[in-house]
Every structure is written in C-alpha cells, then in structure tokens.
Coordinates of all heavy atoms in Angstrom, one line a residue:
C1 N 0.9 -1.2 0.0 CA 0.0 0.0 0.0 C 0.9 1.2 0.0 O 0.7 2.3 -0.9 CB -0.9 0.0 1.2 SG -1.7 1.6 1.6
N2 N 1.9 1.3 0.9 CA 2.7 2.5 0.9 C 3.6 2.7 -0.3 O 3.8 3.8 -0.8 CB 3.6 2.3 2.2 CG 3.0 2.5 3.5 OD1 1.9 3.1 3.6 ND2 3.4 1.9 4.6
L3 N 4.0 1.6 -0.9 CA 4.8 1.7 -2.2 C 3.8 2.2 -3.3 O 4.3 3.1 -4.1 CB 5.3 0.3 -2.5 CG 6.4 0.2 -3.5 CD1 7.8 1.0 -2.9 CD2 6.9 -1.3 -3.6
Y4 N 2.6 1.6 -3.3 CA 1.8 2.0 -4.3 C 1.5 3.6 -4.3 O 1.4 4.3 -5.4 CB 0.4 1.3 -4.4 CG -0.7 2.0 -5.2 CD1 -0.8 1.6 -6.6 CD2 -1.7 2.8 -4.6 CE1 -1.6 2.1 -7.4 CE2 -2.6 3.5 -5.5 CZ -2.6 3.1 -6.9 OH -3.6 3.6 -7.8
N5 N 1.2 4.1 -3.0 CA 0.8 5.5 -2.8 C 2.0 6.4 -3.1 O 1.9 7.5 -3.4 CB 0.3 5.7 -1.5 CG -1.2 5.2 -1.3 OD1 -1.9 5.4 -2.3 ND2 -1.5 4.6 -0.2
E6 N 3.2 5.9 -2.8 CA 4.5 6.6 -3.1 C 4.7 6.8 -4.7 O 5.0 7.8 -5.1 CB 5.6 6.0 -2.5 CG 6.9 6.5 -2.6 CD 8.1 5.5 -2.1 OE1 7.9 4.9 -1.0 OE2 9.0 5.5 -2.9
K7 N 4.6 5.7 -5.4 CA 4.7 5.7 -6.8 C 3.4 6.2 -7.5 O 3.6 6.4 -8.8 CB 5.1 4.3 -7.3 CG 6.6 3.8 -6.8 CD 6.8 2.4 -7.3 CE 8.2 2.0 -6.8 NZ 9.2 2.6 -7.3
Q8 N 2.2 6.0 -6.9 CA 1.1 6.3 -7.7 C 0.7 5.4 -8.8 O 0.1 5.7 -9.8 CB 0.9 7.7 -8.1 CG 0.9 8.8 -7.1 CD -0.5 8.6 -6.2 OE1 -1.6 8.7 -6.8 NE2 -0.4 8.3 -4.9
S9 N 1.3 4.3 -8.6 CA 1.1 3.2 -9.8 C 1.3 1.8 -9.1 O 2.1 1.6 -8.0 CB 1.8 3.3 -11.0 OG 3.2 3.1 -10.6
M10 N 0.8 0.7 -9.7 CA 1.1 -0.6 -9.2 C 2.4 -1.3 -9.6 O 2.5 -1.4 -10.9 CB -0.1 -1.6 -9.6 CG -0.1 -3.0 -8.9 SD -0.2 -3.1 -7.2 CE -2.0 -3.0 -7.1
P11 N 3.4 -1.4 -8.8 CA 4.6 -2.0 -9.3 C 4.4 -3.3 -9.9 O 3.5 -4.2 -9.4 CB 5.4 -2.1 -7.9 CG 4.8 -1.1 -7.0 CD 3.5 -1.0 -7.4
K12 N 5.2 -3.7 -10.9 CA 5.0 -4.9 -11.7 C 5.3 -6.2 -10.8 O 4.5 -7.2 -11.0 CB 5.9 -4.9 -13.0 CG 5.3 -4.0 -14.0 CD 6.3 -3.9 -15.3 CE 5.8 -3.1 -16.2 NZ 6.6 -3.0 -17.6
N13 N 6.3 -6.1 -9.9 CA 6.5 -7.3 -9.1 C 5.3 -7.6 -8.2 O 5.1 -8.8 -7.9 CB 7.8 -7.0 -8.3 CG 7.8 -5.8 -7.4 OD1 7.2 -4.9 -7.7 ND2 8.4 -6.1 -6.1
I14 N 4.7 -6.5 -7.7 CA 3.6 -6.8 -6.8 C 2.3 -7.4 -7.6 O 1.8 -8.3 -7.1 CB 3.2 -5.4 -6.1 CG1 4.3 -5.0 -5.0 CG2 1.7 -5.7 -5.2 CD1 4.0 -3.8 -4.3
Q15 N 2.2 -6.8 -8.7 CA 1.1 -7.3 -9.5 C 1.4 -8.8 -9.9 O 0.5 -9.6 -9.9 CB 1.0 -6.6 -10.8 CG -0.3 -6.9 -11.7 CD -0.6 -5.8 -12.7 OE1 -0.9 -4.7 -12.4 NE2 -0.6 -6.3 -14.0
K16 N 2.5 -9.2 -10.2 CA 3.0 -10.5 -10.5 C 2.7 -11.5 -9.3 O 2.2 -12.6 -9.4 CB 4.4 -10.7 -10.9 CG 4.8 -12.1 -11.3 CD 6.2 -12.3 -11.6 CE 6.6 -13.7 -12.1 NZ 6.3 -14.7 -11.0
E17 N 3.1 -11.0 -8.1 CA 2.8 -11.7 -6.8 C 1.3 -12.0 -6.6 O 0.8 -13.1 -6.3 CB 3.3 -11.0 -5.6 CG 4.7 -11.3 -5.2 CD 5.2 -10.9 -3.9 OE1 4.7 -11.5 -3.0 OE2 6.0 -9.9 -3.8
I18 N 0.4 -10.8 -7.0 CA -1.0 -11.0 -6.8 C -1.6 -12.2 -7.6 O -2.2 -13.0 -7.4 CB -1.6 -9.6 -7.1 CG1 -1.3 -8.6 -6.0 CG2 -3.3 -9.8 -7.3 CD1 -1.9 -7.1 -6.3
F19 N -1.1 -12.1 -9.0 CA -1.5 -13.1 -10.0 C -1.0 -14.6 -9.7 O -1.8 -15.5 -9.8 CB -1.2 -12.7 -11.3 CG -1.8 -11.5 -11.8 CD1 -1.3 -10.7 -13.0 CD2 -3.1 -11.0 -11.3 CE1 -2.1 -9.6 -13.4 CE2 -3.7 -9.9 -11.7 CZ -3.3 -9.2 -12.8
D20 N 0.2 -14.6 -9.1 CA 0.6 -16.0 -8.6 C -0.2 -16.5 -7.6 O -0.5 -17.7 -7.5 CB 2.1 -15.9 -8.2 CG 3.1 -15.6 -9.3 OD1 2.7 -15.8 -10.5 OD2 4.3 -15.3 -9.0
Q21 N -0.5 -15.7 -6.5 CA -1.4 -16.1 -5.4 C -2.8 -16.4 -6.0 O -3.5 -17.4 -5.5 CB -1.6 -15.0 -4.5 CG -0.3 -15.0 -3.4 CD -0.2 -16.1 -2.6 OE1 -1.1 -17.1 -2.4 NE2 0.8 -16.1 -1.7
L22 N -3.3 -15.8 -7.0 CA -4.6 -16.0 -7.6 C -4.6 -17.4 -8.2 O -5.6 -18.2 -8.0 CB -5.0 -14.9 -8.7 CG -6.2 -15.1 -9.4 CD1 -7.4 -15.2 -8.3 CD2 -6.4 -13.9 -10.4
H23 N -3.5 -17.7 -9.0 CA -3.4 -19.1 -9.6 C -3.4 -20.1 -8.6 O -3.9 -21.2 -8.6 CB -2.2 -19.2 -10.5 CG -2.3 -18.2 -11.7 ND1 -3.5 -17.9 -12.4 CD2 -1.3 -17.4 -12.2 CE1 -3.3 -17.1 -13.3 NE2 -1.9 -16.7 -13.3
N24 N -2.7 -19.8 -7.4 CA -2.7 -20.9 -6.3 C -4.1 -21.1 -5.7 O -4.5 -22.2 -5.3 CB -1.7 -20.4 -5.2 CG -0.1 -20.6 -5.6 OD1 0.1 -21.2 -6.4 ND2 0.5 -19.6 -4.9
L25 N -4.8 -19.9 -5.5 CA -6.2 -20.0 -5.2 C -7.0 -20.8 -6.2 O -8.0 -21.5 -5.6 CB -6.7 -18.5 -4.9 CG -8.0 -18.3 -4.4 CD1 -8.2 -19.0 -3.0 CD2 -8.5 -16.9 -4.4
E26 N -6.8 -20.6 -7.4 CA -7.5 -21.4 -8.4 C -7.3 -22.9 -8.1 O -8.4 -23.7 -8.1 CB -7.2 -21.0 -9.8 CG -7.6 -19.8 -10.2 CD -7.1 -19.3 -11.6 OE1 -5.9 -19.6 -12.0 OE2 -7.8 -18.5 -12.2
K27 N -6.1 -23.3 -7.9 CA -5.8 -24.7 -7.7 C -6.6 -25.3 -6.3 O -7.1 -26.4 -6.3 CB -4.4 -24.9 -7.5 CG -3.6 -24.7 -8.7 CD -2.1 -24.9 -8.5 CE -1.3 -24.4 -9.7 NZ 0.2 -24.2 -9.5
R28 N -6.4 -24.4 -5.2 CA -7.1 -24.9 -4.1 C -8.6 -24.9 -4.2 O -9.2 -25.8 -3.4 CB -6.8 -23.9 -3.0 CG -5.3 -23.9 -2.4 CD -5.2 -23.3 -1.1 NE -5.6 -21.9 -0.9 CZ -4.8 -20.9 -1.2 NH1 -3.5 -21.2 -1.7 NH2 -5.1 -19.7 -1.1
T29 N -9.2 -24.1 -5.0 CA -10.7 -24.1 -5.0 C -11.3 -24.9 -6.2 O -12.5 -25.2 -6.4 CB -11.3 -22.6 -5.1 OG1 -10.6 -22.0 -6.3 CG2 -10.8 -21.8 -4.0
N30 N -10.4 -25.3 -7.1 CA -10.8 -26.0 -8.3 C -11.7 -25.2 -9.3 O -12.6 -25.7 -9.8 CB -11.6 -27.4 -7.9 CG -10.5 -28.4 -7.4 OD1 -9.4 -28.5 -8.0 ND2 -10.9 -29.1 -6.4
K31 N -11.6 -23.8 -9.1 CA -12.3 -22.9 -9.9 C -11.3 -22.0 -10.7 O -10.2 -21.9 -10.3 CB -13.3 -22.0 -9.0 CG -14.3 -22.7 -8.3 CD -15.0 -21.7 -7.3 CE -16.1 -22.5 -6.6 NZ -17.4 -22.4 -7.2
K32 N -11.8 -21.4 -11.7 CA -10.8 -20.5 -12.5 C -11.4 -19.1 -12.6 O -12.5 -18.9 -13.1 CB -10.6 -21.2 -13.9 CG -9.4 -20.7 -14.7 CD -8.9 -21.4 -15.7 CE -7.9 -20.8 -16.7 NZ -6.8 -20.3 -15.9
F33 N -10.5 -18.2 -12.4 CA -11.0 -16.7 -12.5 C -11.2 -16.5 -14.0 O -10.5 -16.6 -14.8 CB -9.8 -15.9 -12.0 CG -10.2 -14.5 -11.6 CD1 -11.2 -14.2 -10.8 CD2 -9.4 -13.4 -12.2 CE1 -11.6 -12.9 -10.6 CE2 -9.6 -12.0 -11.9 CZ -10.7 -11.7 -11.0
G34 N -12.6 -16.0 -14.3 CA -12.9 -15.5 -15.6 C -13.4 -16.8 -16.4 O -13.8 -16.5 -17.6
D35 N -13.4 -17.9 -15.8 CA -13.8 -19.2 -16.7 C -15.3 -19.1 -16.8 O -16.0 -18.6 -16.0 CB -13.4 -20.4 -15.9 CG -13.6 -21.6 -16.6 OD1 -13.1 -21.8 -17.7 OD2 -14.5 -22.5 -16.1
L36 N -15.8 -19.6 -17.9 CA -17.2 -19.5 -18.2 C -17.9 -20.7 -17.6 O -19.2 -20.5 -17.2 CB -17.5 -19.6 -19.8 CG -16.9 -18.5 -20.6 CD1 -17.3 -18.5 -22.0 CD2 -17.4 -17.1 -20.0
K37 N -17.3 -21.9 -17.4 CA -18.1 -23.0 -16.8 C -18.0 -23.0 -15.2 O -18.9 -23.5 -14.6 CB -17.4 -24.2 -17.5 CG -17.7 -24.4 -19.0 CD -17.1 -25.7 -19.4 CE -17.5 -25.9 -20.9 NZ -16.8 -27.1 -21.5
N38 N -16.8 -22.8 -14.7 CA -16.7 -22.8 -13.3 C -15.9 -21.7 -12.8 O -14.7 -21.7 -12.3 CB -16.0 -24.2 -12.9 CG -16.0 -24.5 -11.4 OD1 -16.8 -24.0 -10.8 ND2 -15.0 -25.3 -10.9
P39 N -16.6 -20.6 -12.8 CA -15.8 -19.2 -12.4 C -15.5 -19.0 -11.0 O -16.2 -19.4 -10.1 CB -16.8 -18.2 -13.0 CG -18.1 -18.8 -12.8 CD -17.9 -20.3 -13.1
L40 N -14.3 -18.7 -10.7 CA -13.9 -18.1 -9.4 C -14.3 -16.7 -9.2 O -13.8 -15.9 -10.0 CB -12.4 -18.4 -9.1 CG -11.7 -17.8 -7.8 CD1 -12.3 -18.4 -6.7 CD2 -10.3 -17.9 -7.9
L41 N -15.1 -16.4 -8.3 CA -15.4 -15.0 -8.1 C -14.9 -14.6 -6.7 O -14.7 -15.3 -5.8 CB -17.0 -14.8 -8.0 CG -17.7 -15.2 -9.2 CD1 -19.2 -14.8 -9.1 CD2 -17.2 -14.5 -10.6
L42 N -14.3 -13.2 -6.6 CA -13.7 -12.8 -5.4 C -14.2 -11.6 -4.8 O -15.0 -10.9 -5.4 CB -12.2 -12.3 -6.0 CG -11.5 -13.4 -6.7 CD1 -10.1 -12.7 -7.2 CD2 -11.1 -14.6 -5.7
S43 N -14.1 -11.4 -3.6 CA -14.2 -10.2 -2.8 C -12.9 -9.4 -2.5 O -12.0 -10.0 -2.3 CB -15.1 -10.5 -1.5 OG -14.3 -11.1 -0.6
V44 N -13.0 -8.1 -2.4 CA -12.0 -7.3 -2.1 C -12.3 -6.3 -0.8 O -13.3 -5.8 -0.9 CB -11.4 -6.5 -3.2 CG1 -10.5 -5.4 -2.7 CG2 -10.7 -7.4 -4.2
R45 N -11.5 -6.5 0.3 CA -11.8 -5.6 1.4 C -10.5 -5.0 2.0 O -9.5 -5.4 1.8 CB -12.4 -6.6 2.6 CG -13.7 -7.2 2.3 CD -14.1 -8.1 3.5 NE -15.5 -8.6 3.3 CZ -15.8 -9.7 2.6 NH1 -14.9 -10.4 1.9 NH2 -17.1 -10.0 2.6

C-alpha cells in the first residue's frame, strides 16, 4: 500500500505476486478466474 501510494502506480513485481497467489487460489478451489463453466469470483476488502 505504501509503495503504491508513493509511486502512484502498481509496481509490476507486486502485480505478479498477486496473480501468482490468484493461480494458487484457483488450484485450491478447483475454480478458474474468468472461466465460463466454473468461475472463481472474489471479494476485495
């Protein structure tokens, strides 16, 4: 958060970590983000 607010943009390494964790979440839930047949939907807080 502090890094984003300092740069006023999302650093590429943080975005990559987010997507890596998202893929791990897909494996744990057996759902796929954006998939038409078995979509993984998310909340952000």
Side-chain angles (χ1 to χ4, degrees):
C1 170
N2 289 332
L3 201 57
Y4 171 82
N5 284 323
E6 182 188 316
K7 293 178 179 291
Q8 289 298 297
S9 66
M10 182 70 80
K12 287 182 179 177
N13 61 316
I14 295 178
Q15 185 162 306
K16 183 183 181 303
E17 274 195 64
I18 290 168
F19 291 159
D20 287 346
Q21 282 287 358
L22 177 57
H23 295 321
N24 291 336
L25 184 58
E26 288 176 330
K27 288 174 189 170
R28 286 201 299 276
T29 58
N30 291 318
K31 294 172 183 272
K32 191 163 173 56
F33 195 51
D35 188 60
L36 298 184
K37 292 181 181 175
N38 191 21
L40 170 65
L41 301 184
L42 302 171
S43 67
V44 165
R45 294 176 170 87

